[in-house]
Each structure stands twice: as structure tokens, then as C-alpha cells.
Amino acid sequence: MNHVATRAQALPLADRAASLVGSVIDSSTSLLAAQTHDIVRFAMGSPADEAVPLDEFRDIADKVIDHSSMTYGATEGEPVLLKALVDYLGGTTDPTTADRVTITAGGMQGLDLACKIFINPGDLVIVESPTYTNGSATALSYGAELLEAPMDENGLIVEALPELVAATGRTPKAIYTIPNFQNPSGVTLSLARRHQLLVLAHEWNAVIIDDDPYGLLRFQGEDLPSFQALSPGDPLLFSVRTFSKILAPGLRVGWVDTDPALRQLVINAKQAMDTCTNVPNQHIVAEFIRRGGLDNHLAGLRTEYKRRKDAMQESLRRHLGDRVTTTDPEGGFFLWLTLQGEDARISTRKLFETALAEGVAFIPGPALSASGKFDDAVRLCFASTTPERAEEGIIRLGRAMDRELAALRAGAGA
């Protein structure tokens, strides 16, 4: 008897498989790796190679990696990292205590833990629009129904939420927000709106999933207090943090900050995922912080990222002028670019293909919306590219826009 499944035989997939939508952002890594021509890479939100303290990591690894680094670690995190991290955060706008922190495999695991613990199939989850769609995709994978909420230069328009929620006839279970230098827009949630969002969360008994990979990367303006600082000990706050943007994404080390009463549940949920976060990398990060390297490193990043942001904006003014507008972030990694005038007719999904052929990559706006909006916009990462390369990338983007606009005009003439 032939037990090999035929091509026509349906696999017994779980219902949730249809909600596993994947990530256009992450897929771009493989797409770019397959290209054989020179490409200026504005797509991935990753630190530049030169921004990673590789020599320090090598020196630290040589000194701290031993047999204790090669066995299982505590699920909640290595004690040396928990202590170093809590001590460091005490001097920031995001202080915490050891009984609140669980070390994770990057920020994405933190988002997965939040959704795993709070989201039932059919639950309503508010997401920013545009947003980091890896986050909204995680909510979808647990069966959430997404309610997209608009943004402006002061972040999520919290004032619009009551009417949007009322129109659904039910209250949200969670609110997913990226409050500082938001991915992809670069805007920051104002202090007044942070207070308003806390009030609404308590009115609805909805957890705020506070995703903040960029908060330590402010390079101008005044720091704003975190949700935890505004509402200490609030059980409706689930804060997700990572070293991916401030040290290196390949470390896969991050943390979540939660009510201490929730911590054991977070540990239980994590134990069903990976037992513990990468132990050698936890030891490396802990020693890097303990030596005092993080402050100097962040100071250098802030200076350099402001230089790169300013340079990219100047290149955009010089080569594209009033054909585009951009946000003006005070930190983080990203500019949100919107096509103007006749250029707004260009589909940025189509523009992506033409731009890739011209030698520049970005993330099209529809990839950053749960419902595929923003076909006139793109996300550009300024952090990963030198001003000189950014200049070349903007020139190439202009050529791609010229090609697409010419094709539209030719089509209209036909």
C-alpha cells in the first residue's frame, strides 16, 4: 500500500495556519541577498555594520564564555544580565525592577508572549496605521481581529479611538503601540496622548502592548516618560524591549517588563517556546553593560543617526524636492516618505520593483498596513546607510520614480 500523500490530499492544518501571514519586511532580507547588482539598502531596519561594537564583543566573548554559557539557563534570564539591565535602566526614563523583567529572544518573542497570554480568537486589537506589521501579524496568528487607527505627527490619534471602538460594538482586548520614533513613521506619541491612552485602557480593561525598540535612540528633543513611568505598577502594561536596534539584531536578546504577578505566566509561556534565551549572548550583553560600554555606544549612535537622518533629508530635498514629503523623527531609524502631486499616482508596490532594478530598496507602504493602505508611501531606513550611499540611493529612487511616472503618462496617452 502506498502511504505517500498525493498532491490532491489536503494537509490537516490548524485553523490558525490561514492567519500566519509572514513578513514582507523580513522576506526582503532573502530577496536582497539574491540580487547580484549593487543595491543601496533602505529596506531593513537594522544598524549599520559599523554601528555594531564587534571588537568589544569579541574581547568580551573571549573572557566570559565558559561552560556555564553552554548549558541551559534560567527561563527568566541570566542573573548577571538581569542585574546589569535593571541597574542600567535605573538611569533612564524607563526604570524597572528585577521582578518585572523576563529576558526574551528579541522583541518579536516579547510580542508573541503578549499575544499568547492575552489574545483569544476573535478578540479586537487596536493597531496603529501604518504599523510594524510583524507585530500585527503576531496578533493575527492568535486569531485577533485588527482595528486600524490613524496617526499624525503626534503619533496615534488617541482622540479618535472611542468613536472607532464604538463603531465595532465591542471593546478591545489589547492596544498595540510603538510610542517612540514609531516604525514605520518615525513619529512619537505625545505626552498628553500617553495619558489619554492609559485612561482608555483602564476604561476598556485592555492591555497596552508597549513596543519600544527605539526609545534609547533619541537624538534631539526632550525625552518623554514611558507608560511604566506614567503609571507605575500598572497591570495593564506589557512592555516589549530589545537590544536589536541598540546593539545588534543577531544577538536575539530582548526583554519584557510586566506586572510581577504576571511574570510566572510569562515564564510558563516562554518555556513552551525555547526554554531559555541564548545564554552566551546574554553573558556578552551583560558584560558589555557592566563595563559601562552601553552609555558611550548609545551616545555615538545618537550623534551618527542624527547626521544620517539630516543627510538623507537634505538628499531628498536636493533630488526630489516637492515631489515627496517626509516625517521628521527625533530619534530611531526611519523616515516615512509620501509621494506628492502627480507622483502620488505611482503605486509604491510597483515602484519597489523598478527601484530594485535601479539599485535601491525600500519597504512599500502597503506592507506596513494590515489592510494594505498607503500605496503612495514608503519607509526609508536612514540608520543603516552612510550619507554618501544615501545620496546615491535617493538619486536612484528618483530615476525609478521618473520611469514609473513616464509609464503612467504613456498609459494615459494610449
Side-chain angles (χ1 to χ4, degrees), residues 349-360:
R349 280 175 286 202
K350 291 188 63 180
L351 180 64
F352 173 81
E353 298 174 7
T354 304
L356 196 61
E358 287 286 349
V360 61

Side-chain angles (χ1 to χ4, degrees), residues 69-90:
S69 308
M70 298 299 162
T71 188
Y72 293 111
T75 303
E76 62 269 26
E78 290 294 282
V80 290
L81 179 55
L82 289 169
K83 183 180 187 313
L85 179 59
V86 170
D87 288 349
Y88 181 81
L89 291 174

